[in-house]
Amino acid sequence: QLYEQLQRFAEAAGTYQQMLSIDPGNLDLKKRLIETYLRAGKPDSALVRLDELLDVDRMNPDIQVLVGDIYLEKNESAKALGYYNTVLKQDSVGIEARLHICESLLQHSQKDSALIQHAKPILENLREESPSDWRPYWYLGFVGFSARNDSFALANFKKVTELNPRHADAWYHAGTIYFRLEQHDSAAKALERSVEINPRNVDALGALALTYDSMKRREDSDRIYEQALRLDSRNHVILNNYSYSLAERGIQLDRALQMAKEAVEKQPENSSYLDTIGWVYFKLGKYDEAKKYIAKAVELRDAVGENGATLNDHLGDVYYKLNEKDKAMEYWKRALQMNTKNQ
């Protein structure tokens, strides 16, 4: 248990093996060993031990779910779904097993997005069966978030906060959606509640600082950024966002440059980070350096077809300072085409 709490799963597995040498017939220990192999990222080792369980009770739903977990970890989604569906067809299967299946599907949906659509109907049924249980709403929130269906995700995360008011992560996710919808007052309230419940969540602190910054509450924004950095001084998201905020105001530019450098060092192909460091150089009057980074940021954003209105606007500003006014006009026009409402 200590090894698992410390996420030292290989050592936890070794300890379970020692226990099984003392009590080789203990099925619960065998199950735990397989689960630990999965958490350690060793699905093949889990598969080797699985036969011992299957020989004892091949149709046990817990074992069937475990087999599905192993095949998901091996990126064999079709096989995993076969075992999961065998369990789901059983009338006696409980809510815990169904929630576990949905959690596993959502955890692996980054590799196979189709898994989300298998989880959604299970969760909707659970929500109808147990309307006072916050967990189906929690996972449905992630279904909506993954599909960028903000209204669906927000409705479910809000329901979690009603049923479980001290669920800090639900407040955090609701706040990030409000921010994305540019409902900054609602975002700030949700994120403040998240931070109140869990003041050590650096992600929530960063989102709250960014929200305050968007609301022009600069002192509050700086205070929260500093709080986040005291908890994690090398968090590249915090370093980048705080650096950009300082650059926009033209203050503490030397410190902003150092923070931007650290962020770019962590993610050298991140177009937002490259734009930030370029913008700091722009504010320092180092226009050639600014051009190098912002031009690369624009190139990267163009390559993936994402909107880069701010980046093009910045590059236009750089060319203007370099007295290349035709180039400046070219990039300003590109920026305006990407964001026609920008006054």
Side-chain angles (χ1 to χ4, degrees):
Q1 288 174 351
L2 283 170
Y3 283 140
E4 287 178 346
Q5 288 293 321
L6 293 167
Q7 297 189 351
R8 291 161 60 177
F9 300 121
E11 290 161 293
T15 307
Y16 280 129
Q17 287 175 329
Q18 288 181 292
M19 294 164 71
L20 281 167
S21 68
I22 299 169
D23 187 4
N26 191 314
L27 293 178
D28 185 55
L29 285 179
K30 292 179 180 179
K31 184 171 177 287
R32 289 188 186 184
L33 174 59
I34 291 172
E35 290 170 343
T36 304
Y37 277 136
L38 287 177
R39 296 176 74 187
K42 296 180 177 180
D44 290 327
S45 297
L47 204 56
V48 169
R49 302 303 299 255
L50 186 65
D51 287 337
E52 299 172 26
L53 289 181
L54 290 174
D55 288 341
V56 176
D57 189 356
R58 184 169 294 273
M59 295 309 296
N60 183 307
D62 290 340
I63 296 175
Q64 294 281 323
V65 169
L66 194 52
V67 178
D69 292 346
I70 292 172
Y71 281 116
L72 262 192
E73 197 65 36
K74 288 171 65 65
N75 298 320
E76 297 183 38
S77 301
K79 286 186 178 179
L81 289 167
Y83 282 98
Y84 288 154
N85 287 330
T86 299
V87 175
L88 293 168
K89 289 175 184 176
Q90 299 179 24
D91 294 335
S92 60
V93 63
I95 186 172
E96 300 300 331
R98 286 183 284 171
L99 281 171
H100 175 89
I101 288 171
C102 292
E103 182 180 9
S104 297
L105 292 172
L106 292 175
Q107 282 179 347
H108 290 81
S109 62
Q110 288 186 335
K111 296 177 181 177
D112 184 355
S113 59
L115 294 175
I116 294 174
Q117 296 310 313
H118 291 280
K120 186 178 179 183
I122 305 170
L123 291 166
E124 288 174 334
N125 288 335
L126 287 172
R127 183 177 59 184
E128 292 178 14
E129 291 175 20
S130 306
S132 61
D133 190 327
W134 60 266
R135 294 174 297 175
Y137 296 97
W138 170 246
Y139 291 119
L140 281 168
F142 277 105
V143 169
F145 199 80
S146 300
R148 297 192 72 83
N149 186 339
D150 288 334
S151 59
F152 181 83
L154 185 58
N156 281 285
F157 285 135
K158 284 175 65 178
K159 191 65 178 179
V160 176
T161 65
E162 293 170 15
L163 295 170
N164 186 3
R166 292 197 60 78
H167 198 300
D169 287 342
W171 287 107
Y172 163 66
H173 286 293
T176 58
I177 295 172
Y178 278 127
F179 180 84
R180 196 153 74 188
L181 296 171
E182 298 186 358
Q183 298 179 27
H184 294 145
D185 287 336
S186 296
K189 290 176 183 176
L191 292 167
E192 286 164 354
R193 182 72 174 122
S194 177
V195 168
E196 177 189 342
I197 298 166
N198 182 9
R200 299 188 66 82
N201 185 334
V202 176
D203 291 337
L205 288 167
L208 180 57
L210 188 63
T211 302
Y212 283 152
D213 196 38
S214 299
M215 300 169 74
K216 311 300 182 189
R217 293 172 57 177
R218 308 298 193 189
E219 289 185 9
D220 289 328
S221 176
D222 290 352
R223 172 176 56 81
I224 299 297
Y225 275 133
E226 296 290 354
Q227 184 179 341
L229 287 174
R230 285 195 294 273
L231 291 169
D232 185 358
S233 63
R234 295 185 62 79
N235 185 294
H236 54 85
V237 177
I238 301 296
L239 291 167
N240 175 76
N241 292 353
Y242 195 13
S243 173
Y244 187 80
S245 176
L246 294 174
E248 280 285 89
R249 289 174 277 162
I251 61 174
Q252 299 186 50
L253 292 177
D254 289 337
R255 184 187 181 197
L257 181 60
Q258 184 56 42
M259 288 194 291
K261 284 180 177 179
E262 288 187 46
V264 169
E265 184 180 325
K266 290 283 184 67
Q267 293 196 359
E269 298 296 307
N270 187 313
S271 59
S272 295
Y273 293 6
L274 292 167
D275 177 63
T276 293
I277 193 170
W279 198 235
V280 175
Y281 276 123
F282 178 88
K283 292 289 186 173
L284 287 166
K286 298 180 178 181
Y287 303 122
D288 287 323
E289 284 293 303
K291 174 185 170 184
K292 179 176 72 174
Y293 286 103
I294 299 177
K296 184 178 179 182
V298 169
E299 180 184 337
L300 288 170
R301 193 69 64 90
D302 285 348
V304 294
E306 292 181 358
N307 189 304
T310 300
L311 279 62
N312 280 274
D313 185 29
H314 285 171
L315 190 53
D317 293 350
V318 172
Y319 277 120
Y320 183 78
K321 288 293 186 180
L322 291 169
N323 204 32
E324 296 184 45
K325 295 181 180 177
D326 289 340
K327 278 281 192 182
M329 286 294 290
E330 175 188 338
Y331 284 98
W332 285 334
K333 285 178 179 177
R334 287 192 73 200
L336 186 58
Q337 288 170 355
M338 293 175 182
N339 186 0
T340 57
K341 295 180 180 179
N342 189 315
Q343 294 300 314

